Amino acid sequence: MIRFKYTDGCNQDFIELCHGLDDFLNEIVGGEENRAEYVQYNKLDDIHDVVVAYDNDIPVGSASFKKYDDECAEVKRVFVKKEYRGQGISNELMKMLEEKAREKGYKYFILESGEVLVSAMALYRKIGYEVIPNYGHYVGMEKSVCMRKRL
């Protein structure tokens, strides 16, 4: 039975899952050097809202957001371990994040992803995210796909 826990960016399970996400991304793109321009935007310093999914006491997935502006929060570091994919965990993580963001008064979520992340892009589209022009530091990054959803 998968259970979910709200926490923050200092949670050690979340940090370990972020390392797993980095390893997964490096594998997809052929090494960290091929995504070096993105690494600086994935620091955990400003992340205060996190949901971690557990199988008993084993952390299996996580998702988080951080403030972008007064109306908008940015989804960050969404990841589910390979052996747990296809069970609806990422969908539930996103649903819980959206609830927490609404509670905090945010009206929109934005996120950055890429077509190479086929499953992630399919999830975001399925749950109502729409492609928007690249925002912030992603402007001019051709491999980035930015999306937004009204909460």
Side-chain angles (χ1 to χ4, degrees):
M1 180 64 130
I2 302 297
R3 67 180 174 85
F4 298 86
K5 175 184 172 184
Y6 285 108
T7 186
D8 61 34
C10 296
N11 178 283
Q12 286 302 306
D13 293 331
F14 172 63
I15 292 167
E16 285 301 313
L17 287 162
C18 287
H19 292 310
L21 171 58
D22 290 334
D23 292 343
F24 171 71
L25 294 171
N26 290 341
E27 184 179 311
I28 287 176
V29 300
E32 188 170 331
E33 63 277 3
N34 293 326
R35 61 182 198 89
E37 64 187 326
Y38 294 92
V39 172
Q40 62 187 320
Y41 305 125
N42 290 319
K43 295 189 179 355
L44 306 182
D45 305 350
D46 296 332
I47 295 178
H48 305 290
D49 295 279
V50 174
V51 181
V52 177
Y54 291 91
D55 180 2
N56 292 311
D57 290 329
I58 300 166
V60 299
S62 62
S64 63
F65 70 85
K66 68 180 188 176
K67 179 179 180 172
Y68 186 76
D69 62 31
D70 289 341
E71 288 194 333
C72 188
E74 183 180 22
V75 176
K76 301 297 290 181
R77 314 305 287 166
V78 179
F79 178 68
V80 174
K81 288 182 178 178
K82 187 175 186 175
E83 60 270 26
Y84 287 90
R85 294 180 191 153
Q87 299 179 32
I89 295 170
S90 58
N91 192 48
E92 187 63 26
L93 287 166
M94 292 300 294
K95 188 185 312 181
M96 293 180 74
L97 273 191
E98 290 172 4
E99 288 173 17
K100 180 61 81 175
R102 275 192 293 275
E103 284 175 21
K104 291 189 158 217
Y106 292 109
K107 293 182 175 31
Y108 298 94
F109 257 165
I110 56 173
L111 60 84
E112 182 274 338
S113 191
E115 293 299 342
V116 68
L117 299 169
V118 175
S119 296
M121 292 296 292
L123 168 70
Y124 300 140
R125 287 183 174 111
K126 181 179 94 175
I127 61 174
Y129 286 77
E130 296 178 347
V131 173
I132 60 171
N134 286 9
Y135 61 85
H137 35 261
Y138 301 111
V139 172
M141 292 183 160
E142 293 180 15
K143 294 180 183 174
S144 289
V145 176
C146 292
M147 305 179 92
R148 182 173 94 156
K149 179 179 180 179
R150 183 170 186 77
L151 297 175

